[in-house]
Amino acid sequence: IPGYFFSQRVEDGAPLGVLVVKLELEELQRDWVGHTGTLLISDDHGVVVLSNRPAWRFGHLQPLSERQRERLLGERKYAEQNLRALYSERLMGLDDGELRRVRTPDGERDYFWQRQALPAEDWVLHLLQEPQVVKDMVWAYRAGAGALWMMLAFGLLYLLQRRRNRHLVRRSRAE
C-alpha cells in the first residue's frame, strides 16, 4: 500500500496496541509535477520520500551506513524499494543555498540547491533549480527594478518641468 506511515505504541501501564496513521502523498506529488524546479522531501536518513520527479523517489542523498541500511530493513520502512544513490558534490556555497553537481537518474547536472528543515516530521524540504533559471529570474527582477527606477526618475523630471513651466507662465503674465 503506497503511502507514508507513522506509528506509535499505545499503552496504559501495559501495551494496548499500536496507533498507525497513513499519509497519502500521491496527490501532493501530482500537484508538484508542473513545478519548474525539482522538489524533494527527505526523511531523517536522507532518503527521498516524495518528489515531483518520480525517478528521484527512494534515492538517498548521502551514503547510508551499514547500520542505517539494517535499521531500514528491520523497520521495513521502504519495503522492497530499491534505494538508489543521488549523490551530489558541493561546488559553491551561497547566502541562501549552494551550487551542487548532482548525479541523477538522468545524468550529472548542476543545481542551485536550497533546504528547509521540517522539524516536526524530521524531514527536509529541498528545492533544486537549474542555475540558468535562477539567473533568468534574477535578471527579470533586476530589469523590473530598473524599469521602476526609470519610471520614478521620468515622473520626477516631468513634475520638475511642469513646475518650471508654471513658474514661467506666471512670470510671463506678470510682465
Side-chain angles (χ1 to χ4, degrees):
I1 303 172
Y4 199 84
F5 294 86
F6 292 96
S7 62
Q8 179 66 44
R9 184 176 160 167
V10 179
E11 50 186 62
D12 186 21
L16 298 174
V18 176
L19 176 65
V20 178
V21 176
K22 177 185 176 190
L23 293 179
E24 293 285 343
L25 301 176
E26 296 302 317
E27 187 174 329
L28 179 60
Q29 188 164 291
R30 278 192 300 274
D31 290 344
W32 284 3
V33 168
H35 193 277
T36 57
T38 300
L39 292 165
L40 312 169
I41 290 182
S42 63
D43 68 2
D44 57 329
H45 297 288
V47 176
V48 176
V49 295
L50 186 63
S51 174
N52 65 337
R53 308 258 192 255
W56 291 49
R57 200 160 173 208
F58 303 114
H60 49 93
L61 301 175
Q62 67 259 349
L64 295 173
S65 69
E66 198 56 43
R67 184 174 176 214
Q68 285 176 307
R69 288 181 184 280
E70 288 172 10
R71 183 174 163 206
L72 289 172
L73 283 171
E75 292 175 354
R76 294 187 39 82
K77 194 166 190 173
Y78 298 109
E80 287 78 38
Q81 295 296 332
N82 181 26
L83 300 180
R84 304 171 302 291
L86 290 173
Y87 298 143
S88 64
E89 169 190 358
R90 183 176 182 196
L91 301 176
M92 179 189 322
L94 303 165
D95 290 339
D96 54 352
E98 53 191 6
L99 185 63
R100 296 188 78 85
R101 180 158 295 140
V102 183
R103 281 182 256 146
T104 72
D106 306 324
E108 215 172 75
R109 299 182 81 164
D110 293 346
Y111 288 99
F112 175 65
W113 192 314
Q114 295 176 291
R115 292 176 180 80
Q116 176 65 49
L118 306 171
E121 296 82 14
D122 206 10
W123 288 351
V124 178
L125 174 65
H126 306 263
L127 170 61
L128 288 70
Q129 290 280 1
E130 293 187 20
Q132 189 58 47
V133 171
V134 175
K135 286 179 187 175
D136 291 347
M137 287 184 345
V138 167
W139 186 88
Y141 286 130
R142 286 181 178 168
L148 181 62
W149 277 109
M150 286 178 54
M151 286 181 3
L152 289 172
F154 285 129
L156 180 62
L157 288 172
Y158 171 76
L159 292 174
L160 289 173
Q161 184 64 36
R162 190 171 162 187
R163 181 176 169 198
R164 183 172 179 242
N165 285 346
R166 268 194 259 142
H167 177 70
L168 288 175
V169 167
R170 277 192 225 130
R171 199 165 109 193
S172 166
R173 286 185 185 159
E175 293 176 357

